[in-house]
């Protein structure tokens, strides 16, 4: 039928054109999802045809097809690329390790891959100030810091992130007297929208420094970052199962009597897996490679995160694991701080994490358990609870209040909508603030009242990036358009 219409109305040439267009689509020369699309780029009035590149985040839940991905190795190259983007009227974003679950690092225009901009630039061994290029991975940084006799005072669960990525989203570890990683920043160099380079610290460009420690990548490209480090230290780690009810009843004791306390809990299990880490002068008595693999990958990642599947396939095996796993998993060791703070993650997942007042932690856990009962949701992956000190950084999730962070996870390709939306509704009742680098559904209108210094950040954003060179769809959603 369609062929007849085609012949009748447009004749032979019309059909040929249609066939060519369909052919182009069929062979994937143009795909709107954008894996190998060809797009015309506006360059000073003339169209230049460019093959788009492909960009995916670690979790595999996000994809973009930027015009170009550059891998600069010097500050001058970054400046030139920012200026080039400005001249072409394009947007530009940097990424560190693509470990964010939100669209915070995405760009359809220019992307800077800073993985080769990763050298330690200067070590002030008297004061513990270490200056590092922004693409440096925390794993490499922490090992090298140790050779200089220094360490980061606290770290998150992993060390795959870049230093700039970690501070830009307010990445945190755990410890009621320890702030998020951005609180360890002493000073920075920032490349702004017109390509100028600014130094900022508590003494220089103070307003910029204040906001830029948790910038969401919205203020410019961070060039170098100077951290205030602690003298290298070992941690005594005690990892053991404790009944969740006992943990929640004595939560303040656990949190206050340990420098770094956190726990994971797999719903349906009686016990939580607790981690209690404290500084020690004892020499290293590390776990063996096998023990590390068994704990982080086999038990922590693989078995714990597949229990729901085992529930379905082999209930007796699942009951056996649930009964025995919490009893056998018990470790007591001493190792370098960064080896204790961070672990490997092999299973790909997506995550939502909310920051609520510490005082609301018990209430929130009870409400969460009720929420699971009422909805019948049985999450395949565990929750994680951690604690952070208050700080004064405008967009830090711990700004102005002592914080408990409550994270939920699902494997990458599981349906997350109902679980994550329900959890978010619950967390919002506690004035929860979402992790900027993790999944959430909030917008500027629902977020701005949660941050007492929201306007201060917006003033700096407008000053440094008046044309929105560093913005993207995610930033427009959570921060609004630049007015
Ligand atoms: C397995 C896993 C475990 C995690 N564990 C934790 C945890 O324990 N605690 C926690 O708080 N978070 C955690 N996260 C979240 C993660 O720490 C953050 O999303 C972090 O921002 C990722 O760092 P990245 O280097 O990959 O940054 P990216 O995701 O690449 O980028 C994040 C943001 O930083 C910006 N950016 C990067 N480099 C620059 C630069 N040079 N200048 C300006 N902007 C820049 C990007 O544009 C983007 O806005 C985890 C994530 C994963 C996948």
């Amino acid at each position: 039928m369609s062929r007849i219409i085609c012949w009748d109305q447009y004749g032979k040439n019309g059909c040929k054109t249609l066939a060519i267009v369909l052919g182009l689509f069929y062979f994937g020369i143009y795909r709107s999802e954008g894996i190998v699309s060809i797009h015309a780029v506006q360059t000073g009035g003339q169209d230049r045809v460019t093959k788009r590149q492909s960009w995916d985040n670690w979790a595999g839940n996000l994809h973009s097809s930027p015009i170009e991905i550059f891998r600069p190795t010097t500050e001058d190259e970054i400046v030139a690329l920012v200026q080039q983007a400005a001249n072409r009227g394009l947007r530009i974003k940097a990424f560190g390790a693509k470990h964010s679950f939100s669209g915070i690092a995405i760009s359809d225009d220019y992307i800077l891959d800073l993985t080769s901009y990763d050298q330690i630039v200067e070590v002030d061994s008297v004061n513990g100030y270490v200056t590092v290029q922004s693409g440096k991975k925390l794993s490499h940084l922490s090992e090298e810091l140790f050779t200089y006799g220094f360490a980061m005072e606290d770290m998150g669960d992993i060390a795959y992130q870049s230093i700039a990525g970690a501070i830009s989203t307010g990445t945190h570890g755990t410890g009621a007297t320890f702030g998020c990683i951005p609180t360890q920043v002493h000073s920075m160099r920032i490349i702004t929208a017109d390509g100028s380079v600014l130094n900022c610290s508590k003494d220089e460009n103070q307003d910029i420094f204040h906001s830029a420690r948790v910038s969401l990548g919205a203020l410019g490209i961070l060039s170098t970052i100077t951290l205030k480090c602690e003298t290298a230290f070992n941690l005594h780690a005690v990892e053991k199962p404790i009944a969740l009810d006992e943990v929640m009843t004595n939560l303040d004791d656990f949190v206050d009597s340990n420098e770094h306390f956190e726990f994971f809990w797999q719903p349906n299990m009686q016990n939580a897996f607790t981690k209690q880490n404290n500084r020690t002068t004892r020499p290293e008595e590390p776990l063996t490679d096998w023990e590390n693999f068994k704990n982080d990958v086999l038990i922590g990642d693989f078995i714990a995160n597949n229990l729901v599947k085992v529930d379905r396939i082999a209930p007796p095996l699942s009951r056996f694991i649930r009964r025995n796993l919490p009893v056998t998993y018990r470790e007591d060791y001493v190792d370098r701080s960064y080896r204790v703070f961070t672990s490997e993650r092999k299973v790909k997942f997506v995550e939502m994490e909310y920051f609520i007042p510490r005082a609301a932690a018990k209430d929130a856990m009870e409400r969460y358990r009720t929420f699971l009962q009422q909805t019948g949701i049985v999450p395949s992956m565990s929750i994680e609870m951690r604690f952070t000190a208050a700080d004064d950084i405008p967009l830090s999730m711990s700004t102005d209040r002592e914080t408990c962070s409550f994270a939920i996870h699902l494997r990458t390709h599981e349906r997350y909508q109902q679980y994550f939306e329900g959890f978010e509704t619950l967390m919002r009742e506690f004035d929860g603030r979402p992790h900027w680098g993790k999944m959430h559904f909030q917008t500027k209108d629902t977020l701005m009242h949660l941050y007492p210094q929201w306007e201060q950040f917006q003033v700096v954003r407008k000053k440094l990036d008046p044309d929105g060179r560093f913005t993207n769809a995610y930033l427009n959603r959570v921060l609004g358009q630049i007015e």
Side-chain angles (χ1 to χ4, degrees), residues 94 96-100 114 157 161-162 165 169 171-172 222 386 435:
K98 306 195 271 190
H99 268 60
S100 296
L114 294 180
D157 283 346
Q161 309 98 323
S162 66
T169 60
T171 293
H172 66 109
L222 304 180
R386 292 181 277 184
H435 191 305

Side-chain angles (χ1 to χ4, degrees), residues 27-75:
F27 288 107
I29 293 172
Y30 180 93
R31 289 200 217 140
S32 59
E33 288 298 310
I35 293 176
V36 280
S37 350
I38 290 179
H39 289 250
V41 183
Q42 293 288 342
T43 49
Q46 286 191 324
D47 281 352
R48 182 168 68 92
V49 176
T50 303
K51 190 171 177 214
R52 290 221 167 209
Q53 302 199 14
S54 182
W55 186 97
D56 298 278
N57 66 338
W58 172 87
N61 63 317
L62 296 170
H63 176 78
S64 78
S65 20
I67 290 167
E68 203 101 43
I69 300 177
F70 300 93
R71 189 184 280 190
T73 55
T74 64
E75 186 178 271

Side-chain angles (χ1 to χ4, degrees), residues 307-324:
L307 267 183
V308 170
K309 264 195 204 152
V310 183
D311 280 343
R312 279 198 302 270
I313 301 163
L317 176 61
S318 171
R319 279 195 294 277
F320 176 81
I321 295 172
R322 284 180 194 284
R323 217 174 25 247
N324 291 294

Side-chain angles (χ1 to χ4, degrees), residues 266-269 273 296-315 317-319 321-322 325 346-349 378-382 409-414:
Q266 173 76 49
N268 279 352
M269 273 186 150
F273 289 88
D296 289 354
V297 180
L298 206 61
I299 298 179
D301 240 8
F302 190 72
I303 297 183
N305 295 326
N306 280 293
L307 267 183
V308 170
K309 264 195 204 152
V310 183
D311 280 343
R312 279 198 302 270
I313 301 163
L317 176 61
S318 171
R319 279 195 294 277
I321 295 172
R322 284 180 194 284
L325 185 62
K346 299 285 186 208
V347 171
K348 295 275 170 112
F349 59 86
V378 184
S380 59
M381 294 185 72
S382 52
H409 314 80
L410 283 180
R411 296 161 73 94
T412 292
H413 298 296
E414 288 184 289

